[in-house]
Amino acid sequence: MEPKRVATQPFTDQRPGTSGLRKRVRVFEQPNYLENFVQAIFDTQKGLAGGVLVVGGDGRYYNRTATQTILRMAAANRVAKVLVGRGGILSTPAASCVIRKYRTGGGIVLSASHNPGGPDADFGIKFNVAAGGPAPESVTEAIYARTREIGAYFTVDSPEIDLDRLGTSTLGGMTVEVIDPVADYADLMASLFDFPAIHQLFNSGLFRMRFDAMHAVTGPYAIEILENRIGAEPGTVINGEPLEDFGGGHPDPNLAHAQELVAMTQGTDGLDFAAASDGDGDRNMILGKNFFVTPSDSLAVLAANAHQAPGYKDGIVGVARSMPTSQAADRVAEQLGIECYETPTGWKFFGNLLDAGRITLCGEESFGTGSDHVREKDGLWAVLFWLNLLAARKQSVKDIVHEHWRRFGRNFYTRHDYEGVDAKAAADLVDHLRILLPELPGKRLGAYQVEYADDFAYVDPVDGSRSDRQGVRIGFEGGSRVVFRLSGTGTEGATLRVYIEAYESDPVKHDQDPQTALQPLILIARELAQIEARLGRAEPDVIT
Ligand code: VG1
Ligand code: CO
């Protein structure tokens, strides 16, 4: 089976965003579109030839087609072996786990994460490096540069590989091993958390929980881990059957898109614990009875309590958070006397810090939390960590968080998203803010005194690489902040994200609703950015 060279023309729009290349399925279905991007990976990542590659995705529409295409191209590009999840499935954290465990050369992950799926919705592809994490900017930029000049791709003529049967077959000179997508990941979780203690909690008769897989990839993972291995009652996992279109839903675990689950936690009969994950399994939402844990707080609580889980019993060496994430984790790091890093948005920026052993835990405000166990954020991991805490501390979610606030103070936090706005108007809005920046320090905005105002730039402390223009931030005296940035994961128009944070040390005030507590800052942010005038939107589409 000789490699076949197919002539192609470059596409101009294949620059990866915050997390890989995400486009409408219709865009990926154009002849050569997927092939060009995949060939650009092989052309730039020379080490893949002769090595082992992991392939898998979140199971959305086009996952299987793309998997077959990638397998043929991998064979033509002289990859020695591909490990592929059964059915073409691997959650994003499971892909990272497999890449690392079998010391492979990297992986290709097929996902558009929390974006809807289906023939009229979104698809995505990204390359993860041998350490298991999303490729750093230097690599994604090299892949993009290659897509701009590509003239041919390589494939083989072959029948489809049977992706549904575990075991090994060959494709040209390449070995294809279809692996159980859940087993390695489930074993890793069992090594980190106290499954027997969680089992006892489940069996106490005093604890009711649900995990909402949102008809996305985590269903089989959650059923295996929570129900089969730990012994939660059958039916604990809801919407557990993965569907190519996620049942028509928006597989984004937040207060706007997981309302069914939120409702189950409310009232006197509400569940004690509920959690959800996103399309590709790397996000998490944590809910207690009548209580929502803000992701930024979740990171801080896990950092403060990490030693309670067996996998972290010796404590943590440092934490990192993305810039727009609240500073709650910083306060924990300060008390623990460990390093705290502030990185740009996107998991790829945590990779070097994790590899260098400078941090153990990291997280983002966008429902992403993780640790050095893999190199992706990890939804079920966060859920198990919380269950482990609940079992160890024998307290409710709400009590754990309130106690945390009493000890460290509360960072009130919210994110307001203006979705699908005009891309030019959104870019102009950010430019307008950039122009304002130099005059802001020292100024009074309402009751707040501006301490600093900048466009966040990050110099990676490990390799010295620099990333500019990562978001406009305006910091006020006392630790309050507003941050503005444009989304890098959308596929239509632009999305403006406004992040608002205020610190409150007085426990008497900790019970306020964040939207109320933050109202003055919300208004300042809207006015400063001229949001309504520029975007024609009086209110955000999504509040998290
Ligand atoms: C969003 C989030 C970001 C996250 C990224 C990928 O990016 O804000 O924190 O890392 O999605 O998450 P953006 O550029 O749209 O703000 V997911 O679950 O794709 O893997
Ligand atoms: Co995701």
Side-chain angles (χ1 to χ4, degrees):
M1 204 181 286
E2 272 309 296
K4 185 174 84 176
R5 181 182 187 279
V6 182
T8 187
Q9 299 276 325
F11 291 88
T12 55
D13 64 345
Q14 297 196 318
R15 176 179 244 147
T18 311
S19 182
L21 181 69
R22 289 189 191 167
K23 300 283 177 193
R24 290 287 193 219
V25 167
R26 301 286 180 225
V27 174
F28 272 103
E29 283 174 335
Q30 297 173 85
N32 300 350
Y33 193 88
L34 173 68
E35 288 83 350
N36 279 15
F37 191 78
V38 172
Q39 188 61 48
I41 296 174
F42 288 124
D43 287 349
T44 53
Q45 308 308 302
K46 297 289 185 203
L48 294 176
V52 183
L53 178 72
V54 175
V55 179
D58 63 14
R60 67 180 59 225
Y61 181 84
Y62 207 59
N63 193 120
R64 279 176 179 267
T65 312
T67 302
Q68 297 287 353
T69 301
I70 293 165
L71 290 178
R72 291 191 182 103
M73 290 184 64
N77 282 280
R78 314 253 181 238
V79 170
K81 182 176 182 181
V82 168
L83 298 174
V84 57
R86 184 179 47 221
I89 298 280
L90 279 173
S91 77
T92 294
S96 187
C97 162
V98 171
I99 292 169
R100 294 168 63 78
K101 182 169 177 179
Y102 298 104
R103 302 181 185 282
T104 68
I108 294 179
V109 181
L110 304 171
S111 167
S113 186
H114 51 289
N115 297 14
D120 297 314
D122 292 350
F123 190 71
I125 176 169
K126 68 175 178 177
F127 176 65
N128 280 27
V129 295
E137 272 189 334
S138 56
V139 172
T140 57
E141 284 299 300
I143 293 170
Y144 170 59
R146 182 63 192 151
T147 67
R148 300 298 304 267
E149 54 176 39
I150 197 160
Y153 67 85
F154 296 88
T155 186
V156 294
D157 282 320
S158 74
E160 295 209 329
I161 289 277
D162 181 358
L163 293 174
D164 296 305
R165 213 187 44 207
L166 296 181
T168 301
S169 56
T170 55
L171 180 58
M174 183 177 86
T175 305
V176 179
E177 185 179 348
V178 178
I179 61 168
D180 179 334
V182 176
D184 294 308
Y185 177 82
D187 291 347
L188 178 59
M189 292 304 114
S191 75
L192 296 173
F193 300 112
D194 190 346
F195 281 17
I198 302 173
H199 172 80
Q200 276 196 1
L201 176 71
F202 288 168
N203 267 17
S204 64
L206 301 167
F207 183 80
R208 289 165 55 235
M209 78 162 277
R210 291 287 177 271
F211 176 86
D212 188 349
M214 302 185 93
H215 287 302
V217 79
T218 39
Y221 294 86
I223 290 170
E224 170 63 14
I225 295 169
L226 296 172
E227 297 184 10
N228 299 348
R229 295 204 185 191
I230 309 185
E233 60 174 0
T236 296
V237 177
I238 59 171
N239 301 319
E241 185 199 347
L243 299 173
E244 284 200 328
D245 67 349
F246 308 123
H250 202 132
D252 198 355
N254 60 38
L255 295 178
H257 296 302
Q259 284 172 6
E260 181 199 359
L261 187 71
V262 175
M264 293 167 86
T265 61
Q266 286 167 346
T268 45
D269 201 28
L271 296 169
D272 301 294
F273 182 74
S277 192
D278 70 332
D280 61 330
D282 57 359
R283 295 188 176 204
N284 74 89
M285 175 169 69
I286 303 293
L287 299 161
K289 189 175 193 151
N290 296 310
F291 196 78
F292 163 67
V293 184
T294 300
S296 298
D297 278 345
S298 181
L299 173 65
V301 170
L302 296 188
N305 293 280
H307 56 278
Q308 311 242 16
Y312 307 90
K313 64 176 189 319
D314 298 329
I316 54 176
V317 295
V319 291
R321 60 165 173 83
S322 68
M323 181 273 282
T325 303
S326 99
Q327 299 158 102
D330 305 33
R331 297 185 178 271
V332 175
E334 203 185 326
Q335 277 208 23
L336 295 181
I338 58 173
E339 284 296 321
C340 179
Y341 298 87
E342 183 176 44
T343 58
T345 295
W347 212 259
K348 57 179 174 257
F349 293 102
F350 295 132
N352 278 346
L353 295 170
L354 291 163
D355 290 348
R358 296 206 185 188
I359 58 170
T360 310
L361 298 187
C362 45
E364 296 191 276
E365 51 65 40
S366 53
F367 299 80
T369 334
S371 87
D372 57 1
H373 69 293
V374 289
R375 293 293 181 273
E376 290 278 5
K377 57 183 181 271
D378 191 342
L380 265 172
W381 170 90
V383 174
L384 291 165
F385 212 141
W386 268 95
L387 286 169
N388 200 142
L389 285 192
L390 295 174
R393 295 188 45 150
K394 301 185 171 44
Q395 282 175 296
S396 69
V397 173
K398 184 176 178 177
D399 287 348
I400 289 177
V401 177
H402 272 268
E403 202 179 297
H404 184 93
W405 290 338
R406 280 196 294 278
R407 185 169 159 206
F408 297 97
R410 177 173 183 185
N411 290 71
F412 281 100
Y413 189 81
T414 189
R415 183 176 104 183
H416 287 198
D417 291 339
Y418 298 81
E419 295 185 338
V421 298
D422 181 71
K424 167 90 171 56
D428 287 349
L429 179 150
V430 176
D431 283 341
H432 151 77
L433 286 169
R434 287 195 178 110
I435 292 165
L436 288 183
L437 288 175
E439 349 164 332
L440 286 177
K443 262 208 176 141
R444 262 198 109 66
L445 299 175
Y448 296 86
Q449 182 89 16
V450 179
E451 199 173 79
Y452 62 88
D454 64 8
D455 193 351
F456 181 59
Y458 178 65
V459 178
D460 185 302
V462 179
D463 68 11
S465 60
R466 187 183 168 91
S467 304
D468 286 305
R469 295 161 74 93
Q470 296 295 322
V472 167
R473 39 174 209 177
I474 298 162
F476 303 97
E477 280 174 7
S480 299
R481 295 192 308 171
V482 293
V483 171
F484 303 84
R485 60 177 284 281
L486 300 182
S487 159
T489 57
T491 55
E492 280 304 80
T495 292
L496 172 71
R497 304 202 195 285
V498 186
Y499 311 80
I500 303 128
E501 173 183 3
Y503 180 70
E504 179 58 67
S505 58
D506 182 0
V508 175
K509 296 184 183 153
H510 285 169
D511 257 332
Q512 286 177 86
D513 172 59
Q515 302 305 318
T516 313
L518 296 168
Q519 191 60 18
L521 282 168
I522 291 170
L523 295 179
I524 288 171
R526 286 184 187 178
E527 204 168 298
L528 199 66
Q530 306 174 344
I531 292 177
E532 189 169 0
R534 288 174 176 273
L535 305 183
R537 300 280 176 87
E539 294 295 326
D541 302 86
V542 179
I543 295 179
T544 51

